[in-house]
Amino acid sequence: MRLSRWLADRWVMIVALLVLGYLALPVLVVAALSFNRPSSRLSYDFNEFTLDNWRQPCATSDMCAAVIRSVQIGFLATVVATVLGTLMAFALVRHRSRGRSGINVLVFLPMAAPEVVMGTSLLALFVSAGVPQGLWTIVIAHVMFCLSFVVVTVKARLAGMDRRLEEAAMDLYASEWQTFRRITLPLVLPGIVAAALLAFSLSFDDFIITNFNAGTTVTFPMYVWGAAQRGIPPQVNVIGTAMFAVALLLVGLSSLRGRWRRLR
């Protein structure tokens, strides 16, 4: 009876933990394989523990070049998409206009459209315009689909913000710029940072749209896809684990910063 009562009181938490464990399982496998010395190039079973993969993450020079290129593309796409998406979110939430509902539909289209359709459409656009495919066509393509996610994320943050805080600041003789800098921006900043992190992860991870518009440029996902045919080097798991650790660190620092501000 005690066990059944305990399970009845905590079954939601138990299911949530099981789901989280299921989601974290692939990440744990990748982290474990980053310390593995495979028995052969095409083997993915755990053979022998080693730290050589972490000591020499750039043992394959082509892979590190692809990682650096993916980081560059992700940074450029994130900056452009975050700036444009934040401005669009402010315009859609704070200003009433006739075409706002149509713009909202257009914002959701890149999120709803299959990536194969977007990739082929962008390829046809670049070819018809005579634009050579390469790094900049990838950046343009990534900005296009990252923009929607930034707009939606920042809009959600703005919609939940109390406008009376800004009105109170202006009643206390704060100018529009002072109100934005001291009230609006600190309140919206967590949403902007979350949107930027999401945009970077989507850009770094994208393969389908990139493959259509890359030309001879090779990003990290394209390198992994090509290497899968002849054996993925274990350093790939090192890069994946490191990226996950950096993302986890950023989320943890953001959470600690928010808790510290609430305690202060």
Side-chain angles (χ1 to χ4, degrees), residues 103-159:
I103 295 175
N104 285 324
V105 174
L106 291 176
V107 166
F108 275 98
L109 280 180
M111 300 173 61
E115 290 190 351
V116 173
V117 175
M118 283 193 61
T120 53
S121 301
L122 287 168
L123 174 62
L125 175 65
F126 291 138
V127 171
S128 61
V131 179
Q133 298 173 17
L135 185 142
W136 291 109
T137 54
I138 298 176
V139 172
I140 294 172
H142 286 197
V143 169
M144 183 176 180
F145 68 79
C146 289
L147 190 62
S148 300
F149 291 92
V150 174
V151 173
V152 171
T153 305
V154 179
K155 271 184 63 179
R157 183 70 180 180
L158 284 171

Side-chain angles (χ1 to χ4, degrees), residues 25-78:
L25 185 60
V27 179
L28 296 177
V29 172
V30 170
L33 290 177
S34 68
F35 297 97
N36 179 40
R37 180 182 285 117
S39 56
S40 66
R41 195 170 181 84
L42 295 175
S43 175
Y44 299 102
D45 57 339
F46 195 88
N47 178 53
E48 181 183 354
F49 180 85
T50 181
L51 294 175
D52 292 341
N53 301 327
W54 286 88
R55 293 193 187 102
Q56 299 175 345
C58 290
T60 307
S61 59
D62 294 343
M63 186 194 70
C64 282
V67 171
I68 293 173
R69 199 171 295 113
S70 290
V71 171
Q72 292 173 344
I73 293 171
F75 177 77
L76 292 173
T78 298

Side-chain angles (χ1 to χ4, degrees), residues 157 181-194 197 248-264:
R157 183 70 180 180
R181 184 169 61 88
R182 295 179 177 273
I183 305 298
T184 308
L185 185 59
L187 292 175
V188 182
L189 189 60
I192 297 175
V193 173
L197 293 176
L248 196 63
L249 178 63
L250 291 175
V251 173
L253 291 175
S254 176
S255 177
L256 289 175
R257 180 176 178 271
R259 183 175 299 180
W260 179 76
R261 290 185 62 182
R262 287 194 298 269
L263 292 176
R264 191 180 61 174

Side-chain angles (χ1 to χ4, degrees), residues 16-28 244:
L17 291 175
L18 290 175
V19 172
L20 290 175
Y22 174 75
L23 293 175
L25 185 60
V27 179
L28 296 177
F244 179 78

